[in-house]
Amino acid sequence: MSEDDVKVVVVDDFVDAAEALAETLTMSGYKVWVATDGAGALALIETHQPHCVLLDIGMPGMDGNELTRTLRSRYGDDIVLIAVTGREHDDERVSDTFARVDHYLQKPVDPDVLRKLLPPVER
């Protein structure tokens, strides 16, 4: 891994969705790690110091709402947070999470839209 790598952590309790999104990003030149819960995400983020975290809101245990609170308290605005959800915008957890993220996307994620939100990668 080089200093120029754009690092991304994908967090989703639905493993297939997380892996598919990670594969799409990897094929686009990003360095990607996958976590399936909030605690796993925190460990990966601490270890790899990503530029961006894409996180599902509705997860068991530490959900995306709690995860965004924790990340903002630890890292401030140093990490770009993108919420990825299939939930409706009027869900209280969704609107509360949206207040702390930089961007949000509705599932299924359009890879072209996502790439516009992420830092560009050099190929």
Side-chain angles (χ1 to χ4, degrees):
M1 185 167 42
S2 77
E3 285 185 26
D4 295 332
D5 286 337
V6 177
K7 300 177 281 187
V8 178
V9 171
V10 175
V11 188
D12 195 325
D13 62 313
F14 186 54
V15 177
D16 289 345
E19 289 178 352
L21 187 54
E23 184 176 331
T24 297
L25 290 169
T26 299
M27 291 183 339
S28 295
Y30 296 92
K31 181 70 180 164
V32 184
W33 295 270
V34 173
T36 56
D37 60 33
L42 290 175
L44 286 174
I45 292 163
E46 187 173 316
T47 300
H48 299 291
Q49 301 176 358
H51 298 91
C52 179
V53 176
L54 292 123
L55 56 104
D56 184 26
I57 295 173
M59 297 184 292
M62 179 188 293
D63 65 5
N65 194 356
E66 185 179 344
L67 181 57
T68 59
R69 278 193 196 107
T70 301
L71 292 174
R72 287 296 183 221
S73 72
R74 289 185 186 179
Y75 301 101
D77 291 329
D78 291 345
I79 299 173
V80 174
L81 300 180
I82 302 175
V84 179
T85 186
R87 295 180 178 269
E88 296 299 320
H89 296 256
D90 59 357
D91 180 312
E92 187 176 321
R93 284 190 301 175
V94 172
S95 59
D96 194 32
T97 304
F98 285 176
R100 283 183 300 284
V101 297
D102 299 292
H103 307 283
Y104 62 89
L105 299 171
Q106 191 75 26
K107 289 181 181 180
V109 174
D110 180 334
D112 293 329
V113 172
L114 178 56
R115 280 189 287 270
K116 290 177 184 175
L117 298 176
L118 295 173
V121 294
E122 295 188 25
R123 293 181 169 226

